[in-house]
Structure formats: structure tokens, C-alpha cells
Amino acid sequence: SSVMLARMPRAPDNIFGRDIIVERIARQLAWGDSKLSRVCILGPGGIGKTCTAQAVMKHSLLKQRFAEHHRFWIPCISANSVDIFLSLLTKHIRVSRKTEDLLQDIVFTLQETEEPRIILLDNFETPWHTIEGSQTVVKTVLEALDDLSHVAILTTMRSEFSPLEHWNSHLLGEVHPDDARKIYTAIDNSAESQLELD
């Protein structure tokens, strides 16, 4: 009951140095092939995984394929137990069925129609390396979602490896120095004239 439904933060208007990867991931997710539509954006903290995912989610291809009420953002940063992870999924996917089995309620809700849906599991490293509970149980949840061919899944996590081996992964690296300059000066435009900027 303490889990509040939150809206996905607005993506920055300008994301520098990530255009190619955003386009590639958007095409994978919008294609409609369940083998392609499981995508993980991987990398260390602060590299831009969430911003990249937000840019993907607002891409025109995804807006065409997935109705707004079928695009779900699950902020997993606080999901340090399996129960909290399931509660977050239940809340953000707007599950109305209430039984003793949260996972079955989630799957039932997602199976009510075959309309395309997309789930963004943001900061998935928290439930994946859960403090309370078992990674095996978290993997069972992912496998249940993975079985739903009409549900695309986008994940961001601090890792070099996808949680499920057959998922497509994109390891983010540093941006080109020219793009780094644009990012910095977009935040602090007075830095443009400073010798120390480079």
C-alpha cells in the first residue's frame, strides 16, 4: 500500500551522442518480434542508461505501436525484495485482480488483451541483486513476462550481462568528447568560454 504510482520522468529534450543506439533499440522494440523485443541497456552508474531508455520510450515508433496506457515504467530502485518488486509491478501495471498469487495476477492482467504493451524496468539491478529473497524467484518473474509475446520489455541495469541470456543487450560506453562538451554546456552554458572545459 505504500507503493505510489509514479509517472515516468520526462526525457531531456536533447540527448547527445546516443541517437544511433536510441534508434536501434526503438526499432527492435517496435518490430513486434518477441525475440527482438527484450532489450537491456547496461553499463555503470551515471553513464546515461535511464536517459537513453526515456528517449527510446518517447520515440515515435513506440508511440505508434504502444498506446499511452500500455506503456509502463517500473522504477525498481527501491525494489530490494521480491515482494516489493512484485508490488511495484502490480501497482504500475494497474492490476485489479487480487488473489494470493501476485505474479499470476500480473500475468492475468497482461493477458486480458493481445494489444501490444511495453514495460520499462528501470534500475533493475536492485531487484536482481535483491537483499531479501532469491534471484531465482526474480528470474521466474522475468521468465513469466518473457513468455508474453505481445509484451515488449526494456530494462536498464548496472551490469555487463542481461538477466536472461537470450535478451538483447546494449552496453553503453562513454560519449564522444564533442558530445560530452554539448552535454556539459547544455547544463552550464557559461562554461563554453572557459579554458578548463576540455
Side-chain angles (χ1 to χ4, degrees):
S1 61
S2 63
V3 178
M4 298 297 292
L5 185 64
R7 292 179 61 85
M8 186 171 70
R10 187 172 180 270
D13 292 328
N14 296 309
I15 297 182
F16 303 104
R18 301 294 187 206
D19 296 347
I20 293 171
I21 194 72
V22 167
E23 186 71 25
R24 184 179 302 150
I25 293 172
R27 289 187 181 282
Q28 284 182 297
L29 293 168
W31 192 258
D33 181 342
S34 61
K35 290 179 182 177
L36 293 176
S37 63
R38 276 72 176 122
V39 178
C40 294
I41 301 174
L42 307 172
I47 201 73
K49 298 180 297 296
T50 294
C51 281
T52 302
Q54 289 171 337
V56 169
M57 292 292 278
K58 76 172 193 177
H59 194 284
S60 59
L61 288 174
L62 267 67
K63 289 181 178 180
Q64 289 169 22
R65 177 158 178 80
F66 305 101
E68 186 175 357
H69 62 285
H70 285 158
R71 297 195 301 265
F72 306 107
W73 172 60
I74 319 294
C76 299
I77 191 77
S78 63
N80 54 14
S81 74
V82 176
D83 288 343
I84 294 174
F85 178 50
L86 286 169
S87 293
L88 283 165
L89 283 168
T90 301
K91 203 66 134 167
H92 290 276
I93 294 172
R94 298 183 286 276
V95 174
S96 56
R97 178 173 134 162
K98 307 287 182 190
T99 70
E100 297 298 313
D101 190 331
L102 284 180
L103 179 54
Q104 287 305 312
D105 293 343
I106 292 163
V107 170
F108 176 84
T109 299
L110 292 171
Q111 285 180 324
E112 282 184 311
T113 73
E114 288 293 312
E115 293 178 64
R117 298 166 191 230
I118 184 165
I119 297 171
L120 167 55
L121 300 171
D122 197 16
N123 292 109
F124 186 70
E125 68 277 355
T126 305
W128 189 240
H129 300 293
T130 179
I131 296 169
E132 300 174 28
S134 164
Q135 190 177 84
T136 304
V137 178
V138 177
K139 187 175 182 181
T140 300
V141 175
L142 286 189
E143 289 170 341
L145 297 175
D146 186 54
D147 285 340
L148 304 172
S149 60
H150 66 293
V151 177
I153 303 167
L154 176 60
T155 307
T156 71
M157 63 186 297
R158 295 184 185 193
S159 178
E160 294 181 8
F161 306 100
S162 299
L164 297 183
E165 288 181 9
H166 63 280
W167 284 13
N168 300 286
S169 61
H170 298 275
L171 185 61
L172 288 190
E174 69 277 3
V175 295
H176 188 276
D178 289 344
D179 292 314
R181 172 186 281 272
K182 291 174 185 174
I183 292 167
Y184 197 94
T185 55
I187 297 166
D188 178 10
N189 53 21
S190 69
E192 186 77 54
S193 60
Q194 296 176 15
L195 297 175
E196 296 87 355
L197 179 59
D198 286 336

